[in-house]
Amino acid sequence: MEVSKVRRRIIFISVLLIVSLLFVSGCQQNPAAVSEPEEEQTRTIVDMAGREVTLPKNIERIITLGPVPVLNGITMAMGQKDKIVNGLPDFAQSPRWKYQTVFAPNIADKPVMQNSDQDPNIEEMLKADPDVVITMNSQSVDTLESNGIPVVFLSWKDPEDIKEAVKVLGEVFDNQKRAEEYVEYFDSTISKVRDTVSKIPEEERVKVLYCSVERMVQPHHVAEWWIETAGGSSVTAGIERTGNSLSFDFEQLLNWDPEIIIVCEPKGVSDIANDQRFSQLKAVKNNQVFKAPHGAHIWTNRTIEQPLTVLWAAKTFYPEQFKDLDLNKEVKDFYKHFFDYELPPEEIEEIVSGDVGQ
C-alpha cells in the first residue's frame, strides 16, 4: 500500500510539473511577446547606383535631399506624402511652389534638412531619425552612410529614367503595384500621343523653343524629349551643351524664329510682349507664347508629371489633331489617382495655365 501511495504521489507531482512547463511555455510563445527575427524586420533593395540598401520593413519617416520638389513629387505619387519629414528648401518656399504644400500640407512646418548648396544638414537629419533618405546627389551618399543614415540614390539622366526611379521606390515602400500603375500610365500616354503625331509630316511640324526669357537659356535638356514626343521640332535639338541648360543670344533667337515659345517664368509672356525686339518672331505675331504649367513641379523640367507635359504640349502644338483630348479631365484624374488629391476646377486652371503664384 505504501509503495502504491508513493507511486501515485510521484505521478501526481510529475503531471503538475508537466502542466506547469506547458503553461510557462505557452506564455512565452504569445505572438505579441515574440520578436520577429532581424531579417524579417528589414528588407534589402538595390538603388540606381547598384548599391544594396537595408531598410526597415515598414517605412514611416522619409527625407528627400537635393532637388527636393522633384523627389517630393515622386514620393507623393507613390502614396507616401504623409511620411515626408523635411520641409522645402528656401528657393521652393515662394508662392510659385504652393502645390507642394497643397498636396502635402504636413511638410509646410517641417525643418529644412539641407544647406543652400544641397549638402545634408546632418544634425537636423539625425534629430528627424529617418527610415530612409532619398537623394539624387551622389556626393551626399557617403556622408549619410557614415552617419548611419539609410540612403537610396536615384538617377535621372535620360527622360524615361523616371520609370526606373519609380520602380526602385516601389521596392523601397513595398508598393510595387503603384509603381506598375505609373509606368503603365506613362507608356500608354506616350504611345497614344506618338500614334497621333506620327501622321504629321516632318515638314509640317511646328518649330518650338522652350526658354527662360530673363536668362536667355533653354533651361533643361529634358525639353528636347517632350517637345519631340509631342510632335514638335525643337529649335535647340542637337546643339551640344555642357550641362542641363543651353545659353543663346538674341541673334540666334531671330535665326531660329520659332513658331511656338514656351516660357518657364510666368512673367516671360509679358516680358516678350513688352519688348519690341521680339515682335518680329512668328510666335509673337501669331500669339503663340505660352507659360509652362506648374503643379508639384514645373511640368517642362524633370517631374513625375511628365505624361501630362506631353499631353499639354501635344494639344498646344496641334489643337485640331488633339481636339478630342480633355486635358482638364486628364489632369484631374492623374492627381486624384497618384497624389490622392481632388483638384477643383479653379486649381486645374491655375496649374495648366502656369499662373501659379501670380
Side-chain angles (χ1 to χ4, degrees):
M1 284 293 295
E2 291 298 321
V3 173
S4 178
K5 284 182 180 180
V6 170
R7 285 178 178 173
R8 285 201 297 269
R9 286 176 183 174
I10 292 174
I11 293 170
F12 178 74
I13 292 170
S14 298
V15 170
L16 282 177
L17 285 172
I18 292 169
V19 170
S20 298
L21 287 171
L22 288 173
F23 178 78
V24 171
S25 176
C27 289
Q28 290 177 341
Q29 292 302 314
N30 185 335
V34 176
S35 298
E36 290 183 74
E38 184 175 350
E39 63 270 18
E40 292 182 12
Q41 296 181 34
T42 62
R43 292 178 293 112
T44 300
I45 64 97
V46 179
D47 70 8
M48 293 181 74
R51 300 166 51 252
E52 289 191 354
V53 185
T54 300
L55 300 170
K57 182 178 180 181
N58 297 312
I59 302 293
E60 299 296 338
R61 301 174 65 78
I62 303 163
I63 290 177
T64 54
L65 172 69
V68 169
V70 175
L71 294 168
N72 279 359
I74 305 172
T75 304
M76 293 174 192
M78 290 299 296
Q80 308 297 313
K81 61 184 179 181
D82 294 335
K83 299 178 182 179
I84 301 172
V85 297
N86 58 286
L88 294 168
D90 291 343
F91 79 88
Q93 292 186 14
S94 70
R96 182 75 171 143
W97 296 91
K98 66 175 272 188
Y99 280 98
Q100 284 277 319
T101 51
V102 168
F103 295 142
N106 55 295
I107 68 173
D109 60 353
K110 294 293 190 294
V112 178
M113 299 286 181
Q114 63 188 47
N115 304 322
S116 58
D117 56 4
Q118 296 191 354
D119 283 344
N121 184 329
I122 296 298
E123 184 178 353
E124 285 292 340
M125 286 190 171
L126 290 173
K127 288 180 186 176
D129 191 24
D131 294 315
V132 65
V133 174
I134 302 167
T135 189
M136 289 182 177
N137 293 357
S138 58
Q139 67 272 19
S140 298
V141 171
D142 288 343
T143 301
L144 294 167
E145 281 190 324
S146 65
N147 282 276
I149 301 173
V151 54
V152 170
F153 176 75
L154 301 181
S155 176
W156 196 343
K157 295 179 180 178
D158 297 320
E160 296 199 19
D161 283 349
I162 180 57
K163 294 190 290 185
E164 184 59 30
V166 165
K167 289 178 183 178
V168 169
L169 290 191
E171 296 297 326
V172 169
F173 302 133
D174 198 20
N175 194 356
Q176 296 84 351
K177 182 176 182 292
R178 179 67 71 97
E180 291 167 4
E181 288 171 351
Y182 178 81
V183 171
E184 182 180 344
Y185 176 76
F186 186 107
D187 287 340
S188 64
T189 299
I190 301 309
S191 178
K192 285 186 288 188
V193 171
R194 282 181 168 155
D195 284 347
T196 300
V197 300
S198 67
K199 302 177 179 66
I200 302 172
E202 288 292 332
E203 62 274 14
E204 295 179 17
R205 300 198 174 197
V206 292
K207 292 197 299 180
V208 181
L209 171 66
Y210 170 54
C211 69
S212 162
V213 177
E214 182 179 7
R215 294 178 289 137
M216 291 294 277
V217 299
Q218 197 272 44
H220 208 290
H221 68 86
V222 75
E224 309 299 347
W225 174 82
W226 60 256
I227 290 173
E228 180 274 329
T229 302
S233 175
S234 173
V235 297
T236 55
I239 300 177
E240 187 174 348
R241 61 181 83 194
T242 55
N244 275 327
S245 62
L246 173 70
S247 299
F248 57 88
D249 56 28
F250 198 79
E251 182 180 359
Q252 181 64 72
L253 176 58
L254 292 177
N255 288 335
W256 286 332
D257 195 16
E259 298 167 89
I260 292 177
I261 297 176
I262 297 165
V263 295
C264 60
E265 306 108 338
K267 73 184 191 71
V269 173
S270 58
D271 287 346
I272 289 174
N274 296 327
D275 190 330
Q276 190 61 29
R277 296 177 302 162
F278 291 95
S279 61
Q280 53 194 303
L281 296 173
K282 286 189 180 78
V284 177
K285 290 177 181 177
N286 296 321
N287 197 30
Q288 293 294 292
V289 181
F290 303 95
K291 303 168 192 172
H294 200 298
H297 200 279
I298 183 168
W299 285 10
T300 43
N301 288 359
R302 293 182 303 179
T303 176
I304 191 74
E305 296 135 314
Q306 275 187 343
L308 296 179
T309 311
V310 173
L311 290 172
W312 170 81
K315 193 172 180 70
T316 301
F317 300 168
Y318 306 107
E320 182 60 29
Q321 286 87 339
F322 288 92
K323 62 184 179 183
D324 295 329
L325 169 62
D326 188 342
L327 183 62
N328 285 1
K329 183 179 184 304
E330 289 282 347
V331 171
K332 182 176 182 177
D333 290 348
F334 177 87
Y335 288 109
K336 182 177 181 180
H337 183 76
F338 290 108
F339 282 66
D340 304 308
Y341 184 83
E342 184 88 35
L343 283 167
E346 62 272 17
E347 289 184 345
I348 295 174
E349 173 61 27
E350 186 177 47
I351 289 172
V352 174
S353 69
D355 284 334
V356 179
Q358 298 304 293

